[in-house]
Amino acid sequence: MTNLWESIKKGDKKAFIELYETFYQDLYAYGFKISGDKELVKDCIQQVYLEIWDNRENQSEVNFLKSYLLKYFKRKLFREMAQRSKESSSYDNPIGMELSYEELLIKNQSSEDLQFKLHEALDKLTNKQKQVIKMKFFEGLTYDEIAEITSSKNRTVYNQVYEALKILKQYISTLAIFYLFFAK
């Protein structure tokens, strides 16, 4: 796959088409699982591939092409979802209908409390657990890729993720209840 990436960087259209055909279904399935919006997912995939092609000469080296594309796509999808959410929330609070000072204060405090609780939960993890959680869920790496990067055994990585999730799970129910009732 490294050769494919190098060919794309040099402007090889056939290599770019191969990249598109090889990973389109993976990106689509991943994006649909996250958002459930077929059109949004398709739009984001197109944007990712267009950006890669437009910036091909400036792309850095990529060792794990699938992971790179999933991470790139996930960021694009989340940005687009946030933008759409922001646009739809402007309909919920039309211009001219400002929130009262008390409503703004409550909303801000709820957001700060939620962030504090999330940081508190993450602080319960060891540095190694934080590292594998970040790679697994934020970077979209597989257990094999994480094991290779951290020079660990696959089973060790799996156990670290499992233990970290067990710790975080203790806080998730509290956060979910908090978020449902107080953070709107």
Side-chain angles (χ1 to χ4, degrees):
M1 286 293 166
T2 307
N3 294 338
L4 182 67
W5 190 250
E6 289 302 317
S7 297
I8 291 168
K9 287 174 63 172
K10 293 175 184 172
D12 185 341
K13 290 180 183 178
K14 287 181 181 178
F16 181 72
I17 291 169
E18 183 181 340
L19 177 78
Y20 183 87
E21 290 173 347
T22 302
F23 294 106
Y24 182 88
Q25 287 300 321
D26 291 330
L27 294 175
Y28 182 82
Y30 183 68
F32 188 73
K33 190 167 49 169
I34 292 171
S35 79
D37 184 339
K38 293 177 183 180
E39 294 308 313
L40 173 63
V41 171
K42 289 177 185 177
D43 288 346
C44 288
I45 290 171
Q46 296 301 322
Q47 290 174 21
V48 165
Y49 279 107
L50 284 172
E51 288 174 13
I52 287 172
W53 183 254
D54 289 344
N55 300 314
R56 65 188 173 275
E57 291 139 0
N58 301 323
Q59 295 288 344
S60 59
E61 294 299 315
V62 175
N63 294 324
F64 302 105
L65 194 50
K66 183 177 180 180
S67 297
Y68 173 80
L69 288 173
L70 286 170
K71 183 177 175 182
Y72 192 134
F73 171 67
K74 183 171 71 170
R75 286 182 179 160
K76 173 69 69 183
L77 183 61
F78 281 137
R79 271 190 241 117
E80 194 63 33
M81 288 169 61
Q83 180 63 33
R84 288 184 181 194
S85 176
K86 188 186 295 184
E87 289 169 1
S88 72
S89 70
S90 68
Y91 295 117
D92 295 341
N93 184 20
I95 298 173
M97 281 191 61
E98 294 183 23
L99 295 174
S100 70
Y101 175 73
E102 291 82 10
E103 289 170 322
L104 287 171
L105 192 60
I106 290 169
K107 190 173 188 166
N108 187 41
Q109 185 62 42
S110 297
S111 177
E112 287 176 8
D113 288 345
L114 183 59
Q115 287 178 359
F116 176 76
K117 287 183 183 289
L118 285 170
H119 285 287
E120 191 176 69
L122 289 171
D123 284 342
K124 301 293 181 193
L125 302 178
T126 66
N127 287 337
K128 192 71 166 174
Q129 288 171 327
K130 286 178 193 175
Q131 180 186 23
V132 295
I133 289 290
K134 179 183 175 212
M135 286 190 272
K136 178 70 179 150
F137 297 103
F138 295 97
E139 297 176 11
L141 299 177
T142 66
Y143 289 107
D144 292 332
E145 292 167 336
I146 296 170
E148 186 176 325
I149 291 169
T150 61
S151 301
S152 302
K153 292 182 179 177
N154 192 344
R155 187 68 185 166
T156 303
V157 172
Y158 179 83
N159 289 339
Q160 289 170 335
V161 170
Y162 175 79
E163 289 299 320
L165 290 176
K166 201 163 79 170
I167 292 168
L168 292 174
K169 186 178 179 183
Q170 295 172 353
Y171 294 92
I172 289 177
S173 60
T174 306
L175 291 173
I177 291 168
F178 176 82
Y179 188 74
L180 285 172
F181 289 104
F182 300 108
K184 262 200 160 181

